[in-house]
Amino acid sequence: NIPLPPKMRGLTYVLRNKLYIALTNQCISASPLQLRGPSFQLPASANFHPLEAEPSSDDVFKAVDGAFTNGLIGVSSMDSDVITFAGIGEPLLRLDTLHQASTQILEHRHGAQLRVKTNGLVSLKFGSKVA
């Protein structure tokens, strides 16, 4: 398990030895998890929970840094574990937090690979930033 800041249950979960970061429970339409159908469930070993509170970029960085420190994920000269922004909600709805957290992670964990699992729908407020 990754040590998390207080009230951050749901911030991280692990699936097939890969780290996932949740930024929000909000979604403009059906979430990527909902699109898998009503019978889809993540395995209990993933330790997946809805977010209790939306994290700051510092909360996200601390959780990722903790995952590296505890050996849950790593970067070697040949390979890197991928860190995925996903969860119940749409990560792009927290674009500023996503950008700030990604910058912090890449500045401190050179070689880390980041990806975003999105339904591709964002508000007009962020449309030009995402494009």
Side-chain angles (χ1 to χ4, degrees), residues 1 6 11 15 21 36 50 52 54-56 58-59 62 69 97 102 129-130:
N1 282 346
L11 174 58
L15 191 58
I21 306 288
R36 292 179 176 254
E52 291 182 347
E54 290 190 340
S56 68
D58 287 335
D59 294 332
K62 288 174 186 172
T69 301
T97 301
S102 298
K129 290 182 180 180
V130 174

Side-chain angles (χ1 to χ4, degrees), residues 7-62:
K7 296 186 180 180
M8 284 293 112
R9 182 176 179 194
L11 174 58
T12 63
Y13 58 102
V14 178
L15 191 58
R16 292 186 216 113
N17 297 319
K18 302 294 181 194
L19 181 66
Y20 289 79
I21 306 288
L23 296 179
T24 186
N25 291 333
Q26 299 176 58
C27 200
I28 293 174
S29 85
S31 74
L33 292 177
Q34 291 170 324
L35 292 173
R36 292 179 176 254
S39 64
F40 176 76
Q41 289 186 1
L42 289 167
S45 61
N47 198 29
F48 177 80
H49 301 282
L51 278 168
E52 291 182 347
E54 290 190 340
S56 68
S57 59
D58 287 335
D59 294 332
V60 172
F61 172 72
K62 288 174 186 172

Side-chain angles (χ1 to χ4, degrees), residues 71-84:
L72 182 62
I73 58 174
V75 176
S76 71
S77 60
M78 299 301 291
D79 197 15
S80 171
D81 290 329
V82 175
I83 301 161
T84 303

